[in-house]
Amino acid sequence: MASTTDSPPPFNLSTSGPRPPLFDGYDPDGFFDEMFEADGSVRNHYRKLLHNFKTLSHPDLDTKRRAVDALFLRQGVTFNVYGDSQGTERVFPFDLMPRIIPRHEWEHLEAGLIQRITALNLFLHDIYHEQRILKDGVVPPFYVLSAKHFRREFVNFNVPGDIYIHICGTDLIRGADGTYMVLEDNARCPSGVSYVLENRRAMKRTFSDLFESVGVRSVSSYPADLLNVLRHIAPAGVSDPTVVILTPGPYNSAYFEHASLARQMGIEIVEGRDLVVRDQAVCMRTTKGLRPVHVIYRRIDDDFLDPSVFRSDSALGVAGLVHSYRAGRVSLANSIGTGVADDKVMYYFVPRIIKYYLDQDPIIPNVPTYLASEDKDRAYILDHLGELVVKSANEAGGYGMLMGPQSTAAERASFRERILADPRSYIAQPVVSLSRHPTFVEDNPRALEGRHIDLRPFILYGEKVTVIPGGLTRVALRRGSLVVNSSQGGGSKDTWVLHNGD
């Protein structure tokens, strides 16, 4: 616990004491607020930050905001929006007010995330080998065998180190009482870590004096940690592996991230056309001829990896890649077939999966979930479409989702038809009153208002399991919106995990 003897005095929005102008009119509005207690007092772990912000004038903040915007534009910190008539590439919106997580909260989250990725890897190994969990009736076989990303071709295939999910991004939220919950697991090609790194870089330039005084843990080791994970899974006998990132190309929504990670790890970024398979070995075309590749951090879904095995119309993958993988000549991260674990229907069973393999209760609970393929659940979903959030099992980025309370009658009718036609592909959850965080408002940059947020920490599984101390805090910038995805109008904040603090 941090000593508070040299901390600034408590600050209370509800008292008549000095109030930073930025917080004039700030109202938690009955939501769980990350910065303020229910009585208006500042949470202890925010006090040093707030004390510092009290000294900043509006011109100071304007200057810092412009500096960050210019840095992001210069660095090309962008994302792509599919199907947007205004253009595809945008600078990722960033909010200057950081989110802070004290040490004890982070230790709880870290333990829960390590527990979760450990259980999911055991689950994937099992369903691609003995399938004990199916035979024991813990998870009904129907749900696994009908999963879109279950790869029957890889049953009894041994992946390096028995690790399937090397990189995972698990989305966390806090509900009305402040309890952290898992919203979903992203176990295929999770995006967002480059924004974690860029957000931190921007904040360190802009508020360079704050990090040491507040006691913020560094996130800078992530590229080196990721490279260690990738080198760890190199084929047997390869002591100095060549590692590359395989990207779909510059029109992919996460291309900035692919290029950024490659640069920071000091490895090549390649597209499918840059690779070729010769005598079961994957090789990279270079100006000096073909060069063997041993490990591929692929940012392409299974379906597009190898046109000779999966989708024949794929121009993104490499013909023969799967054959090389099966022959043990090249390793892939994440392994083929991990998509089963981030099927939103499988999410429902994760607490059972943790109990089955680890004999433990989940440290971080799931959000209550209904399965449309279960008769009783489906009836409830159809009767309460206007109150629930309905999600497609294999969509991401806020696509394929119905926000019941904000939906029109036509949208609910459309989802009713879709659910009845294909119930296996839908789940539903109650609307969670997401926690809020003070956020600068676009139409009034000199004021702060509460905006809903979530958190995507990144977990690496190699020789050991590590969690980057922080993660991507996504924020719904539109007033009242619960959708934080960048493709749906969301932005991000820097996430500060403290060395100490309560």
Side-chain angles (χ1 to χ4, degrees), residues 184 298 349 394:
E184 63 183 43
R298 52 75 174 245
F349 295 102
N394 292 292

Side-chain angles (χ1 to χ4, degrees), residues 184-199:
E184 63 183 43
D185 302 288
N186 296 281
R188 282 179 288 168
C189 303
S191 294
V193 76
S194 61
Y195 303 121
V196 176
L197 303 175
E198 294 299 334
N199 289 351

Side-chain angles (χ1 to χ4, degrees), residues 141-214:
F142 161 73
Y143 287 111
V144 171
L145 303 179
S146 64
K148 178 181 178 183
H149 298 291
F150 178 64
R151 301 297 180 193
R152 296 173 185 275
E153 309 92 317
F154 284 86
V155 170
N156 293 323
F157 174 70
N158 294 318
V159 301
D162 289 339
I163 306 170
Y164 286 80
I165 307 172
H166 308 90
I167 304 105
C168 187
T170 295
D171 291 345
L172 305 176
I173 58 173
R174 299 180 90 169
D177 63 354
T179 299
Y180 282 100
M181 293 177 283
V182 175
L183 187 62
E184 63 183 43
D185 302 288
N186 296 281
R188 282 179 288 168
C189 303
S191 294
V193 76
S194 61
Y195 303 121
V196 176
L197 303 175
E198 294 299 334
N199 289 351
R200 178 58 53 86
R201 187 170 294 127
M203 288 296 282
K204 291 196 83 166
R205 284 195 181 191
T206 311
F207 296 95
S208 56
D209 55 333
L210 262 181
F211 283 81
E212 187 172 348
S213 64
V214 176

Side-chain angles (χ1 to χ4, degrees), residues 130-143:
E130 297 86 357
Q131 300 189 341
R132 292 185 294 111
I133 197 168
L134 308 185
K135 295 170 184 171
D136 289 344
V138 177
V139 175
F142 161 73
Y143 287 111

